[in-house]
Amino acid sequence: MRFLHIRLLGPAIVGIALFIAAMATFPYYGVKRIDAETRRTQEMLVERNISLWISDVEFSLTAWTIWDEAIAKLDNSFDQEWADRNIGASLIGTSRTRSAVVLDSHDAIIYSRTDNTVKDKPFFARGPAAMVKDASELLTAIRSREPRPAKPGIPSPLATSRIEVMGDEAVLLTVSLFQPDFGTFKPKGNRAPVLITAMPIGGTLQDFFGKRFLLNNAQIGPLPTVSPDRARAEIAVGTQGEIEVLSWLPPTPASDFVWQSLPLILTVGLVLVAGAALMIHMTQTAAQMLMNRERQMRHAATHDFLTGLSNRSLLEAEFSTLTKKGPLMIACLDLDGFKAVNDTCGHAMGDELLKVVATRLRAGVRPQDRIFRLGGDEFAIMMPGLSAAEAAEICQQLATSLSAKVLLLGQEIAIGASFGISEVSRGETSCEAALKGADAALYCAKSIARGAVVIESDMDKYKTGSQALKMVAHR
């Protein structure tokens, strides 16, 4: 009888065991496909993140390039002293740019300045003419896109960039077109001056991007030298025009899962149930690790890495969501006295101060409000469901909070903040137009007093329209 039971149950047990083993080996067929999809996703995220970082740098230059006075002093009648003070010294002193060259409408050099801290480095030691030559393709692209004639109203930034590598030195080279903002001054001819800037990338490129985007074993090299098993993104060019590629070891969750589960598959038998449960757990762990990594990279793409605030890439989406729910107040602010802190105490102190500003802004708004860092010392706040008076009261409280002294690295620092507010009704205007309105009110506030708050609809109480244009042109 016992032998009969074995004969009856034996095939069933073996069949069940084979079925479970077959189900356990089924994921092997999708390993390559899953790993390839993961790799392509990460490559696209890295390329998008690099593009967003470059876009933020290009936008920060609009403080110097979209400016009526720049057209007047660089194109209409060149003023060397003005250019050195408001382009060279200001740009190098308040940003990470270390070399600036201005070209006239004929693409001839009319002004250049290089910071003493980098003038002996190989890229910068070649002089401004070499930098202009390196940027020739970028310059041609800008000239081909230059509007003729210029469109009315505040123009959109026109800039293009690329990373150039010389030995161990990497530089972000950017070409930006000077444009009038309110049309007080216009270019004499059909072409406007151009600004060429060079920003050194601290450390090696592989360290800079590898740590920024959490890449495993990041390396920089020519495209032909990259092995097929490494993910890659084209990010730079060498001095001879050769493509430089950022490569790294991509995550392989499917392969990792297979190798980790192999011993369990070989021991299928009495521990089949335990093995199956363990494999499910490992699958969930691998998937969670991948989701966490992707979540971190998406967060890095949409948030400022210094302050943790949302960056410009989320403006349109948040604006669309909030305006569908009802009225919305948008406030633009920038910091009074921040440049002096950078000039006297250094960029490290300025970075710490920006973190304190972000903390105070978070503490001073409601949970449903949204804060954005637009670049440099410029911020924006979206406040849904408030009247103009209520929004102005909150901004006044924030101005008081930001003006309170702060102790950083043993030094007592005091700054201020001015606010401009724009009111948006449901579906009434675009995000860009609302920001421009708040920006205009901000310029009005800065002309009144430090820490002032001005609502766009109340600007006429402080100045006439022509006075507003003059004030913006000389900001």
Side-chain angles (χ1 to χ4, degrees), residues 64-79 82-83 85-87 178-186 469-475:
W64 292 271
T65 57
I66 300 182
W67 192 4
D68 282 350
E69 191 170 355
I71 295 296
K73 300 297 184 179
L74 298 177
D75 180 76
N76 295 175
S77 178
F78 181 69
D79 186 330
W82 185 94
R85 182 178 65 253
N86 291 279
I87 301 298
F178 283 101
Q179 302 179 81
D181 45 8
F182 287 93
T184 306
F185 298 97
K186 297 181 179 179
L469 291 176
K470 183 177 179 181
M471 179 270 298
V472 172
H474 291 79
R475 68 182 186 277

Side-chain angles (χ1 to χ4, degrees), residues 3 63 72 120 203 207 222 236 299 305 315 341 356 365 394 422-423 435 454:
F3 179 71
D120 294 328
D207 288 341
H299 185 273
F305 72 96
L315 277 172
V341 175
V356 173
V365 300
I394 290 177
S422 174
E423 184 174 2
L435 285 172
V454 172

Side-chain angles (χ1 to χ4, degrees), residues 11-299:
I13 294 173
V14 172
I16 293 172
L18 290 175
F19 175 77
I20 296 176
M23 292 300 294
T25 58
F26 178 77
Y28 282 93
Y29 295 101
V31 165
K32 294 296 183 183
R33 182 182 62 81
I34 294 173
D35 286 348
E37 289 290 340
T38 301
R39 169 175 168 167
R40 284 193 293 269
T41 298
Q42 191 177 42
E43 287 174 340
M44 289 188 296
L45 286 172
V46 169
E47 291 173 352
R48 181 171 179 269
N49 289 345
I50 292 174
S51 177
L52 286 171
W53 172 70
I54 291 176
S55 296
D56 284 344
V57 173
E58 291 175 350
F59 183 82
S60 68
L61 294 174
T62 58
W64 292 271
T65 57
I66 300 182
W67 192 4
D68 282 350
E69 191 170 355
I71 295 296
K73 300 297 184 179
L74 298 177
D75 180 76
N76 295 175
S77 178
F78 181 69
D79 186 330
Q80 173 73 26
E81 180 181 354
W82 185 94
D84 196 51
R85 182 178 65 253
N86 291 279
I87 301 298
S90 175
L91 186 59
I92 293 175
T94 60
S95 71
R96 298 191 186 278
T97 296
R98 286 296 168 264
S99 185
V101 178
V102 178
L103 306 182
D104 63 13
S105 59
H106 302 290
D107 296 337
I109 298 175
I110 57 175
Y111 174 78
S112 66
R113 178 165 176 170
T114 299
D115 190 55
N116 290 334
T117 60
V118 299
K119 67 178 181 180
D120 294 328
K121 292 188 176 182
F123 180 87
F124 298 94
R126 301 174 302 155
M131 194 167 90
V132 173
K133 182 179 179 182
D134 290 346
S136 59
E137 292 184 6
L138 303 178
L139 179 60
T140 300
I142 288 296
R143 287 302 189 194
S144 67
R145 294 159 53 195
E146 184 174 3
R148 300 188 184 91
K151 298 179 180 179
I154 298 178
S156 299
L158 189 55
T160 186
S161 305
R162 77 178 185 190
I163 299 173
E164 187 161 319
V165 177
M166 178 178 288
D168 293 332
E169 185 180 4
V171 174
L172 179 63
L173 202 60
T174 302
V175 177
S176 307
L177 183 71
F178 283 101
Q179 302 179 81
D181 45 8
F182 287 93
T184 306
F185 298 97
K186 297 181 179 179
K188 294 185 296 186
N190 290 330
R191 305 206 314 178
V194 168
L195 174 66
I196 301 178
T197 59
M199 185 187 79
I201 298 176
T204 62
L205 272 179
Q206 53 264 40
D207 288 341
F208 182 80
F209 289 117
K211 294 177 181 178
R212 189 182 185 94
F213 304 135
L214 308 176
L215 304 180
N216 183 19
N217 190 26
Q219 296 178 5
I220 297 292
L223 180 60
T225 66
V226 179
S227 61
D229 63 320
R230 296 178 66 84
R232 80 275 315 265
E234 297 180 9
I235 64 167
V237 295
T239 53
Q240 303 302 318
E242 66 276 15
I243 296 175
E244 296 287 334
V245 173
L246 171 68
S247 67
W248 65 94
L249 294 176
T252 54
S255 296
D256 293 344
F257 167 74
V258 168
W259 283 107
Q260 293 171 11
S261 63
L262 184 60
L264 297 177
I265 296 174
L266 297 177
T267 58
V268 171
L270 297 177
V271 292
L272 287 177
V273 175
L278 181 59
M279 284 188 287
I280 292 173
H281 173 72
M282 293 175 64
T283 303
Q284 292 174 338
T285 301
Q288 188 62 48
M289 290 174 59
L290 180 61
M291 291 175 60
N292 289 341
R293 184 174 299 180
E294 185 172 349
R295 188 180 299 112
Q296 290 172 342
M297 295 186 68
R298 290 186 184 278
H299 185 273

Side-chain angles (χ1 to χ4, degrees), residues 1-12:
M1 183 67 70
R2 183 176 303 171
F3 179 71
L4 181 60
H5 285 175
I6 292 176
R7 290 186 61 185
L8 292 175
L9 295 177

